[in-house]
Amino acid sequence: MKFLVYLTLTLLLLIAAWMAYDYTTWEDYPISDVFPLYTEVSDQRYISRIDRAEERLIQIREELQVPSVSIAVSRDGTMLWSAATGYAHMDKAAALATPKSVYRIGSISKPLTATVAARLYDRRQLDLDKKIGHHIDNYPQKKWDFNLRQLLSHTAGIGNYEDFGPYGLFISLCNCTRFSTVSESLDVFNEVDLLYRPGTEYKYSTFDNSLVAAWMEQRTRKTFLDLVAEEIFTPLNMRDTYADHAPGRENPKSLVTFYERKAGTFREYRTLGLINHDIDLSYKWAGGGFLSTPSDLVRLGNAWLSDSTYLSQETKATFWAPQPLENGEENGDQYALGWRSEYAYQDSLLLEGKKVWLVHHSGSTKGAMNLLFLFPEYKMSMDVAINAQATSMKEFWESVLSIADLFLKEEPEV
C-alpha cells in the first residue's frame, strides 16, 4: 500500500515538474508594430505583382504565426523576386531574416538526391532498372531485391521512422548521433526487413534515398557529399546549400533558429518537447538532411525547367513521370522519381479553372517547413521556407499557392 502511495506521489511530482518546466520555456512573441521585409531581387517588369506579393508574404507570416517566412520566385530562368520577413532568431537581439538566411529543408533533400541520380543517368552511369538491393555495401541481403527506380519512387519496400525498432527510433527522435558517411548511417535501418515485395506497394520513406546515395557512391567511387557539390552546387552556383553537420565543417552562421509555437507563444525547438540541443541530421542527408535558402532551391528548379544543357528532356520526362505499381495502378501519391508530379493545381481567377502541371516536393522537419514548386508549362520555380511548423502542411501549401497565383500569367505587365 505504501509503495502505491509513494509511486503515485512520485508520478504527481514528475508531472508537476514537467508542467512547470513546460510553462516556463515558452515566451511571448517580440512586440513590433512593423515587420521589415528584406527584398534582395525585384524584377521591375513584375513590380505591381511583387508589391501585392510582399503584402501577402507579411500576411502569411501573421496567419501561420511563424517567426519568419522567406521566398524566391523565378520565370524563364530569371529570378523575379526574393524576400524575407520576420525573425531569424528571437533572442534578445531579435535578428531579422533576410533572403540569405538558411533553413532546414527536410524532404526537399530528396529532389537534390534525385538530381544527382538524374545527372548520372543522363550520362548512362546509372541503370534505373538493374537490381541493386543485394549489392549495396553495409546493407545485408533481404528476402527480395530492388532497383533504383523503386527506391526513388518509394516502392522498394523500405520502411520509415516508425518501422525501425528501438535503435532507429532513438536515432530519429534524439538527433544526437553524428554520422560521417552515408554507409555508416545505414546502420539506422540496415537490419530491418522489407515491408513488402518491391513494386507491389507504395510507402513513403526518407531512407530509400540513403540507399540511393550509397549506391551512387559505390558506382562513382566518390562520396555522396562530393557528388552533390560536383553535380549541383558548383554548376548551379548554389553557394548557400549545405549538408547538416557535414564532416569537418560547421553549420553556417546564417542558419536560422528553429521554433515550436503554441497559442501565440514560441520556444526554440526541443526534442520531445524537453531536450534543447544541437539537432544533428547527418543520419539522413539524402532524404532530409540538407540546409538551404529559397533562392538556391529556385536555382535548382531553374536547372530542371530552363537549362537544356544541365539535363536532357528525356531524363526530365523520366524523372517527372509518376511511377505505377506492378499491377499498373497509380502509387497513390503521384510520386515520380524524387518528385511529385501532377495535373492538379488550378486557380479559378487567373487561370479560369485550368488544371496546371505542378512538379513539387514538401519538407517538414525539426522546427521548419519548406515547399518547392515547379510549373513546367510556365517555366516558373518557387520556394518558400519557414522556421517553425504551420498547423498543417495543407495550411502552408494553400498560403504559398496564393502567392504563386500572382505570378502565373503569361507575360510581364510592362
Side-chain angles (χ1 to χ4, degrees):
M1 186 65 176
K2 286 184 178 181
F3 172 77
L4 290 177
V5 172
Y6 291 145
L7 179 60
T8 301
L9 288 173
T10 300
L11 290 174
L12 288 173
L13 285 172
L14 288 173
I15 292 170
W18 180 85
M19 292 177 66
Y21 165 81
D22 184 68
Y23 178 79
T24 58
T25 57
W26 296 94
E27 57 183 302
D28 292 332
Y29 204 95
I31 298 173
S32 176
D33 294 330
V34 178
F35 284 89
L37 185 142
Y38 284 84
T39 295
E40 188 172 81
V41 176
S42 184
D43 190 320
Q44 295 302 303
R45 297 174 303 156
Y46 289 81
I47 194 63
S48 66
R49 273 179 268 178
I50 289 172
D51 287 344
R52 282 179 283 161
E54 288 180 345
E55 293 176 3
R56 182 69 189 120
L57 191 68
I58 293 172
Q59 291 172 352
I60 287 172
R61 193 210 58 75
E62 294 171 347
E63 291 167 2
L64 299 182
Q65 296 183 11
V66 294
S68 71
V69 185
S70 184
I71 188 170
V73 182
S74 74
R75 294 259 325 238
D76 299 311
T78 299
M79 193 76 73
L80 304 184
W81 178 51
S82 64
T85 184
Y87 292 105
H89 312 283
M90 295 199 313
D91 56 12
K92 60 183 179 181
L96 298 170
T98 76
K100 287 290 188 182
S101 296
V102 173
Y103 294 74
R104 292 176 184 143
I105 67 172
S107 287
I108 294 176
S109 303
K110 294 176 176 68
L112 287 173
T113 301
T115 300
V116 177
R119 291 269 286 176
L120 298 179
Y121 174 77
D122 220 19
R123 299 198 296 266
R124 303 300 181 260
Q125 292 178 256
L126 289 182
D127 184 339
L128 293 176
D129 299 304
K130 178 183 177 180
K131 298 293 186 182
I132 63 169
H134 292 168
H135 307 284
I136 300 174
D137 292 344
N138 198 33
Y139 188 71
Q141 184 170 319
K142 308 302 178 188
K143 181 178 180 180
W144 301 290
D145 206 350
F146 50 77
N147 58 39
L148 274 177
R149 187 184 299 274
Q150 290 163 338
L151 287 174
L152 286 164
S153 62
H154 304 298
T155 59
I158 309 299
N160 210 12
Y161 304 98
E162 66 275 11
D163 304 306
F164 293 158
Y167 179 63
L169 188 63
F170 169 77
I171 295 296
S172 59
L173 287 178
C174 180
N175 309 121
C176 52
T177 303
R178 181 68 49 85
F179 292 93
S180 58
T181 67
V182 169
S183 180
E184 183 183 319
S185 72
L186 299 187
D187 289 347
V188 174
F189 65 98
N190 61 7
E191 296 298 330
V192 179
D193 292 333
L194 299 184
L195 301 181
Y196 52 81
R197 182 165 61 82
T200 61
E201 297 182 37
Y202 170 86
K203 163 85 175 188
Y204 182 83
S205 171
T206 285
F207 301 94
D208 286 290
N209 289 265
S210 297
L211 292 172
V212 173
W215 182 248
M216 292 192 298
E217 286 187 334
Q218 285 181 229
R219 291 289 294 154
T220 63
R221 298 180 183 273
K222 299 176 182 179
T223 71
F224 174 63
L225 297 188
D226 283 346
L227 281 171
V228 174
E230 182 179 307
E231 300 294 343
I232 304 179
F233 298 165
T234 298
L236 302 185
N237 197 29
M238 290 174 60
R239 298 180 179 179
D240 297 310
T241 306
Y242 311 86
D244 184 75
H245 289 90
R249 183 172 186 173
E250 294 184 358
N251 281 347
K253 293 182 180 179
S254 52
L255 186 67
V256 301
T257 302
F258 301 96
Y259 295 93
E260 300 173 291
R261 61 189 190 85
K262 182 177 72 173
T265 60
F266 293 81
R267 69 180 178 191
E268 193 169 342
Y269 179 85
R270 295 162 187 260
T271 298
L272 299 176
L274 294 172
I275 307 169
N276 185 7
H277 69 98
D278 183 25
I279 300 293
D280 191 320
L281 303 177
S282 59
Y283 70 99
K284 59 173 183 178
W285 285 321
F290 279 92
L291 317 167
S292 190
T293 64
S295 294
D296 259 14
L297 293 175
V298 159
R299 291 184 181 95
L300 177 72
N302 286 341
W304 280 83
L305 292 171
S306 304
D307 188 347
S308 60
T309 65
Y310 187 71
L311 287 170
S312 69
Q313 291 301 322
E314 293 78 11
T315 293
K316 294 175 187 178
T318 297
F319 276 71
W320 282 349
Q323 297 297 298
L325 300 178
E326 193 177 86
N327 61 9
E329 294 180 358
E330 293 183 356
N331 63 44
D333 206 12
Q334 294 297 297
Y335 212 93
L337 302 180
W339 300 90
R340 292 181 177 89
S341 178
E342 54 190 322
Y343 279 89
Y345 174 61
Q346 56 185 343
D347 174 74
S348 59
L349 295 178
L350 297 183
L351 303 174
E352 300 178 348
K354 173 187 174 184
K355 287 189 175 181
V356 177
W357 184 16
L358 176 58
V359 177
H360 62 96
H361 216 291
S362 61
S364 180
T365 187
K366 319 293 181 178
M369 278 184 169
N370 197 297
L371 280 171
L372 176 59
F373 287 162
L374 278 58
F375 297 89
E377 296 163 318
Y378 297 85
K379 292 188 177 180
M380 175 173 147
S381 176
M382 176 178 178
D383 185 84
V384 181
I386 55 179
N387 59 336
Q389 293 200 352
T391 302
S392 67
M393 182 58 74
K394 182 176 184 292
E395 178 188 38
F396 185 35
W397 172 283
E398 291 175 349
S399 296
V400 171
L401 285 181
S402 71
I403 291 183
D405 291 345
L406 299 174
F407 294 93
L408 284 176
K409 287 184 177 179
E410 287 294 345
E411 300 295 338
E413 292 134 337
V414 293

